[in-house]
Amino acid sequence: MVETEEFLVLAGGLALVCSPLAMGWVKPNYFYGVRTRATLASAELWRRVNRFFGRVGLLAAAILVVLSRFAPIETSSAWVPLVVLLSPLACAVWLTVVYQRQIQRELAQTAD
């Protein structure tokens, strides 16, 4: 059974990982951040996509804190805590993929 405190620790860890990205402190590298061929090839795309992921990651951490308080995570089923934990993070990743595609199109149009 997953306890509320464990969710708070996970939310805090996510916030710690996402804060430098949101602040724009992370330069293009192969170890940390949203690393795709496109983001590694363009410093502008790297900056915009990683700042975006940092922000939505911080939002996901905040949602986890709220869910840890109000969601029924202390159940006998292992699926409920897993869904509660992964849903905000999955949304953050999905939004980042959509955002990266949008920014790639914008940058391609300005290059033409």
Side-chain angles (χ1 to χ4, degrees), residues 10-57:
L10 291 171
L14 181 60
L16 283 174
V17 168
C18 290
S19 293
L21 294 172
M23 300 293 284
W25 293 345
V26 180
K27 304 295 180 214
N29 67 81
Y30 289 97
F31 304 106
Y32 179 54
V34 179
R35 301 169 321 268
T36 65
R37 284 186 199 123
T39 58
L40 290 171
S42 166
E44 174 68 12
L45 185 61
W46 171 275
R47 184 187 64 77
R48 291 174 71 175
V49 169
N50 278 280
R51 287 195 73 177
F52 180 82
F53 179 71
R55 291 178 187 139
V56 294

